[in-house]
Structure formats: structure tokens, C-alpha cells
Amino acid sequence: MVLSELISYETLRFIWWLLIGVLLVAYAVTDGFDLGVGMLLPFAGRDDHERRVMINSVGPVWEGNQVWLILGGGAVFAAWPQLYAVSFSGFYLAMFVILVALILRPVAFKFRSKREEPAWRARWDAVLFASGLVPALIYGVAVGNVLQGVPFRFSSDMHIFYDGSFFGLLNPFALLCGLVSVAMMLMHGAAWLQLKTAGPVAERARRYGSWAAVATLVLYALAGVALWLWIDGYRVTSALPASGPSNPMLKTAALQPGAWFVNYAARPWLWAAPVLGLLGALLALVGLRARREVATLLASGLSIVGIVLSVGASMFPFILPSSIDPRASLTVWDSSSSHLTLFNMLVATAIFLPLIIAYTSWVYHVLWGKVDADAIRDERGHAY
């Protein structure tokens, strides 16, 4: 027996759907507080010293946090090539804007303190704010569009055509999802600042973080209601073998009101995801007001986990529905790489993912504790 045949094609597809979810959650939780701190920079930091304290709270870890984004992009490319082709071509301008923001962020980190002129540092502070806000907003907008369906289709020879536009992505529901993303990352960034800083910065972070937690609760609930009342979901209307060929055009699919809630009706335990999203934000709000530092960060992280997982739980088995040709929609069962490719990738992941997790955990352990504000003021032992 060939070693790869020990795990069925259906199982491998499902495992890789779960692993993509894990990578997305890991990125949202880790880089989420980086983006949140950037957005809070003009508000929680009132002078140059306070802003340097905030920057140094994320300075040693932000580069490592972005590893999860790189891993996620690589995994999509290798495990779900059709998803990669459609999303990275259809969302090209949106992806380009995100990349510009993510490229400018390290430049701002490195160059901000090279000169002492207030105008110089103010410009880089504006870059750090924008490089936090823009990705957070566009991530949510992208999710909102995926839930509504993306305007793509396949020709008879499986050539991909995207019939949408950049500004077409900025529809009301997608913008609402974008605001959910911004609010939850602001909440997470405030929780991080409460843990890593002290004094006025931490106090302001608690205040803004409390408002962000309330906004997360309200906006996420509104998005759920809007999804139920006004956004039609998708369902497969033909046979879809879980171990069938990777050809989306072999099935039929259709729009159906309330389809994104069918999985919750069939498997009530899936309600744990949206409940966790709401409960985590509520506990983060309580923790911010009660100054419970570690508990607040864990609660805000769990809220992000619940919100992200609720999208996957709603859409399964769809991973990218098509709004103009539902038959072309990509699902877990008809858009993956080959059985052998998925198996070989799984072996590599089983080896290297635990190493990445262990190293990341060690880094956070070494860097545990609050930023020394006096050391930054006295030019001792700071990075930025």
C-alpha cells in the first residue's frame, strides 16, 4: 500500500480546510493586536514618549506574527490552487492595498525614531495608523463579499473570469463586516496595551478598548441579523462526492435564503462559535473595566477566534461561492490539490508547525512583562 493511501482524499481535504482555518485564526489573533495598537497610536499616546512605549510593546513580535499570514497564503496556493487563483486575481487591487500597508508598516517602525523632528515622527505615526486601519478594514470587507458571493465564472476550458470591480467590493454589508474587523482588532490591541504598558497609556487603552468591545458586540450582532434577513446563502443542489475530482463545474448550486444558517440547524454545537465571539467581547469589556490584564487578552483573543470560526461554520462546504454562476462556486470537495500533494503537505506541516508554535511560545515567554518606559526615555535598551 502507498503511504499516502493511509488517509483518504475526503479526510485530507477536510483536514486542510481545518488547517487553513487554524492559520487564519492564528494570524487574526497574533497580528490582530499589532494592527489594533497601530490604530490606537494617535489616541492612547498623547506625546512622543508615550507613542514610543506603544510601538515598543509590539516591536519585538510583529514580524513573527506576520509569519502566519505567509503560511496561510502559501497553504492556500498549494492546497487550494483554484481558490488562490480566483481570490488573488479577483481581489487584486484590494490585495495590493493591503500589501502596500503591510510594507509601509516595517518601514515606519524602522525609520520613525531615526530623526527627532516632530513633523518627521508625526508622518510615520500617521503611516502606522493607516497601516493598522487599512488591512483590518479590508480583511473584513473581503469576508463580507465572500459571504455574499464573488462575481467570478469559468469558461469551458476552466479559464477564470472575474467580472467585479474594486469599488463593487465596498457594498453596505461588506463595509459592516469591515467595521466588525476594525472594532475587534481595536479591542484586541487595547487588551495588549493594558498588559504591556502602565500609566496613562494603559488607562487610555482601557477606555478606548471598552468602546471597541461594545462596538464589536453590536456590530457583530448586526452583521448576523443582516446575514439572516438580507443575504442569501448558497447550497449544493446535486451530488457532490467528497472524494471526487477537483472540478467545480461538475456540480450544481443555487442561492437560498437562510442557507448560511443551515449548518447551525443541522449541528447545534456549531453555535459555540458565534456565542464565543459575543461572549469573548463581553468578557473583554468586563476585563478592561476591571483591569484584568491576562484574562482580558485571552477573552479578546477568544472573541476573534469565535468570529472567524463562525464564518467557516456558516459556509461549509463552500469556501468561495460565485454570485454570477453558483455552479462555479468552490467547495472543500471540488477545488483542492491532488491526494498526493495534500498528503505530502500534511507530513511537512506535522513536522514544522509544532516547531513554529514552540518557537513563538518561547519568544512570548522571553518577552513577557511590561515595557520599561524609563528605559525608553533614557535611551536604554529599547528597539524603536
Side-chain angles (χ1 to χ4, degrees), residues 269-343:
W269 57 269
L270 290 176
W271 282 104
V275 168
L276 184 62
L278 293 169
L279 182 61
L282 179 60
L283 291 176
L285 173 61
V286 173
L288 285 163
R289 306 306 297 173
R291 294 173 171 78
R292 300 290 186 180
E293 298 174 351
V294 177
T296 301
L297 186 64
L298 291 175
S300 64
L302 288 175
S303 178
I304 292 174
V305 171
I307 291 172
V308 174
L309 292 183
S310 67
V311 176
S314 298
M315 293 182 59
F316 185 85
F318 289 91
I319 51 179
L320 190 65
S322 170
S323 60
I324 58 176
D325 184 7
R327 183 180 57 160
S329 299
L330 307 181
T331 74
V332 174
W333 311 127
D334 63 11
S335 58
S336 72
S337 293
S338 68
H339 184 281
L340 181 60
T341 298
L342 295 182
F343 178 80

Side-chain angles (χ1 to χ4, degrees), residues 1 14 19 23 49 59 79 83 92 111 113 125 139 169 185 205 215 219 221 233 291 326 332 341 345 351:
M1 176 184 292
F14 184 69
L19 284 174
L23 295 175
H49 176 253
L83 172 62
Y92 180 80
F111 279 83
S113 296
D125 288 343
Y139 291 149
L169 299 175
M185 291 186 182
L219 293 171
R291 294 173 171 78
V332 174
T341 298
M345 288 174 57
I351 296 171

Side-chain angles (χ1 to χ4, degrees), residues 61-74:
V61 297
W62 70 267
E63 290 176 292
N65 293 341
Q66 291 195 142
V67 167
W68 298 107
L69 178 63
I70 298 169
L71 287 174

Side-chain angles (χ1 to χ4, degrees), residues 34-40 43 97-98 101 105 126-141 178-179 181-183 185-186:
D34 290 353
L35 301 178
V37 170
M39 288 186 281
L40 287 168
F43 308 104
V97 172
I98 291 174
R105 183 166 61 155
V127 170
L128 286 171
F129 170 75
S131 64
L133 175 63
V134 170
L137 179 64
I138 294 181
Y139 291 149
V141 168
L179 292 177
S181 177
V182 169
M185 291 186 182
L186 275 171

